[in-house]
Amino acid sequence: MEKSFYELWKLGINIIKTKILFPKARLIRFPFDIRGKKYIKYGKNFTTGTGCRIEAYKFNEKEPKLKIGDNVQINDYVHFSCAESLIIGDDVLIASKVYITDLNHGSYSGAEQSKPQDIVKERRIYTKPVKIGNNVWIGENVSILSGVEVGENAILGANSVVTKNVPKNCIAVGNPARVIKVYNKSIGKWEKILK
């Protein structure tokens, strides 16, 4: 694929800005919004698309920890939001328009529930850690919500809303996401889950 002069010029500017502002990263495409940088760690060869937003905020006296492993690639308009713990393993590939969060404005189950008339922005922030294992592939427009763990080598299909854990070596799709295939190592094939 042949690149235009403008595309090459823009890539060159992004490489220079990356080496100055994010020296361990491979390539950060700007604009790139990072908030709470002191709570965010990223590994070597980190790559982003354009318009990404990564944020870590201190709420309820908790020190947030947002960790991105080595060789992670996120594409355009990905948003990570962390108030407690959001860990992304090594070699993870994330498509565009993905949202991953460990927090929620208010509580809607359990003993302490928020009321509908409470002002949304004033509701208490509730958090549950999120962990994405190594070598996970997250498809376009996926949302991963608080309290979820995704096992290594998992695949999350486009437009999925992940509200529960996904085991390793599985394919999960849908809203809410459910496992539809599991990799059978003994025969070397993906097998459908029978319902």
Side-chain angles (χ1 to χ4, degrees), residues 142-163:
V142 168
S143 293
I144 300 174
L145 304 182
S146 65
V148 167
E149 187 167 336
V150 178
E152 65 182 16
N153 308 316
I155 299 170
L156 304 177
N159 299 309
S160 295
V161 178
V162 186
T163 60

Side-chain angles (χ1 to χ4, degrees), residues 46-127:
F46 181 47
T47 305
T48 77
T50 190
C52 294
R53 182 168 124 195
I54 299 176
E55 54 190 355
Y57 295 111
K58 187 174 181 179
F59 289 105
N60 308 329
E61 301 307 312
K62 292 180 184 174
E63 288 273 325
K65 179 171 84 171
L66 197 161
K67 183 176 181 251
I68 301 166
D70 293 338
N71 308 311
V72 171
Q73 179 176 331
I74 66 176
N75 286 286
D76 299 339
Y77 306 105
V78 170
H79 180 189
F80 300 153
S81 186
C82 173
E84 182 180 348
S85 177
L86 196 168
I87 309 296
I88 297 171
D90 298 335
D91 303 304
V92 173
L93 177 61
I94 301 176
S96 298
K97 300 175 190 152
V98 169
Y99 176 56
I100 304 175
T101 186
D102 71 347
L103 64 99
N104 197 6
H105 289 266
S107 176
Y108 307 98
S109 62
E112 294 182 42
Q113 294 191 19
S114 301
K115 296 173 180 56
Q117 64 272 19
D118 294 346
I119 304 298
V120 176
K121 69 180 181 178
E122 296 173 4
R123 292 179 190 169
R124 183 172 173 213
I125 299 294
Y126 286 86
T127 63

